[in-house]
Amino acid sequence: TVTITITIPGGHLLQANDTAKVGLASMFGSMMNEDTKNYSAEQMAVELQKLGSNVSVGSSFDGITFNVQTLRKNLDKTLALVQERMFNPKFTEANFSRIQKQRLQGFKQAKADPAAVADAVFAKINYGPNSILSMSEDGTENTIGNLKLQDVENYYNSNMTSKGVKVVIVGDVKQEEILPKLAFLNKLPNKKIDLPKVN
């Protein structure tokens, strides 16, 4: 098997100067796992299953990560599906609305979880209420409730870049063999993403 992680700079930290949209990177990561222009999410899942592969997208504090697991013999076919996810997302109102509702439901449930409440309070005391470090990467009822599909599209159009991308590869594959297969990353816009400095 071969495991590849591709991390594009961005994520939660990008909202440090615009905390009204905290949780946007997390919503964006979820939306990147949905339909593409050529595959529904279900069709993509079936294709990956046939290959015995897994491709998932998620956000972190300072990046958007594409996680790829595949059998070596299916590497090319799997990377073709990674490209489909990366370059041809289809952001639909239906998927956005469903994920938004799930998130809002999750916030309501978290209010009844003492550990979740304690974590949130501790972070605010530790970093101060206005610091991005004290805010959940998932956002809040307020910030997620106010997000629009356009925000997700704007994130994609503004922050997908080949500059500063980190790639980690683990598995039975040589560097000279895998690098040409990842050349598609150069098709991403070559923009510098300035991540805000936080204390």
Side-chain angles (χ1 to χ4, degrees), residues 77-94:
K77 286 179 181 167
T78 302
L79 287 176
L81 294 172
V82 172
Q83 290 181 69
E84 176 67 22
R85 276 239 174 281
M86 193 175 278
F87 293 101
N88 296 319
K90 184 179 176 187
F91 300 125
T92 68
E93 197 62 65

Side-chain angles (χ1 to χ4, degrees), residues 19 36 42 49 51-52 54 76-77 86 88 100 148 181 196:
T19 54
T36 69
E42 291 74 21
Q49 209 168 4
L51 297 170
N54 186 30
D76 289 359
K77 286 179 181 167
M86 193 175 278
N88 296 319
Q100 190 178 42
K148 303 278 182 286
K181 296 180 192 298

Side-chain angles (χ1 to χ4, degrees), residues 3-191:
T3 302
I4 304 169
T5 60
I6 301 165
T7 304
I8 296 170
H12 184 56
L13 191 50
L14 274 184
Q15 298 311 135
N17 298 329
D18 180 15
T19 54
K21 290 192 170 138
V22 163
L24 172 57
S26 176
M27 277 292 282
F28 172 73
S30 294
M31 287 290 287
M32 288 293 284
N33 290 300
E34 295 294 330
D35 303 345
T36 69
K37 286 173 184 153
N38 298 302
Y39 293 85
S40 68
E42 291 74 21
Q43 287 167 331
M44 177 70 82
V46 167
E47 289 302 311
L48 287 166
Q49 209 168 4
K50 281 187 207 160
L51 297 170
S53 301
N54 186 30
V55 175
S56 64
V57 187
S59 72
S60 64
F61 183 68
D62 58 0
I64 299 292
T65 301
F66 289 74
N67 294 296
V68 185
Q69 283 179 307
T70 177
L71 299 170
R72 181 180 161 156
K73 65 179 182 182
N74 292 332
L75 187 57
D76 289 359
K77 286 179 181 167
T78 302
L79 287 176
L81 294 172
V82 172
Q83 290 181 69
E84 176 67 22
R85 276 239 174 281
M86 193 175 278
F87 293 101
N88 296 319
K90 184 179 176 187
F91 300 125
T92 68
E93 197 62 65
N95 286 331
F96 178 80
S97 179
R98 173 174 51 79
I99 293 170
Q100 190 178 42
K101 282 191 185 112
Q102 286 169 347
R103 292 283 171 97
L104 294 173
Q105 194 56 45
F107 292 134
K108 287 191 173 73
Q109 287 166 349
K111 282 183 181 166
D113 176 1
V117 173
D119 282 348
V121 171
F122 181 74
K124 292 240 181 311
I125 291 169
N126 230 1
Y127 299 109
N130 300 319
S131 167
I132 192 77
L133 298 171
S134 73
M135 299 175 191
S136 165
E137 289 181 28
D138 291 331
T140 66
E141 269 184 90
N142 202 18
T143 62
I144 294 297
N146 287 328
L147 286 181
K148 303 278 182 286
L149 180 63
Q150 188 65 51
D151 294 313
V152 171
E153 291 173 352
N154 291 347
Y155 186 102
Y156 182 84
N157 293 328
S158 303
N159 301 309
M160 291 296 279
T161 180
S162 59
K163 209 175 187 71
V165 168
K166 293 190 179 80
V167 180
V168 178
I169 301 154
V170 179
D172 179 24
V173 64
K174 290 191 167 60
Q175 186 172 329
E176 59 269 21
E177 180 190 350
I178 190 91
L179 285 182
K181 296 180 192 298
L182 295 171
F184 65 84
L185 292 172
N186 294 325
K187 291 187 208 155
L188 287 167
N190 186 21
K191 305 180 200 171

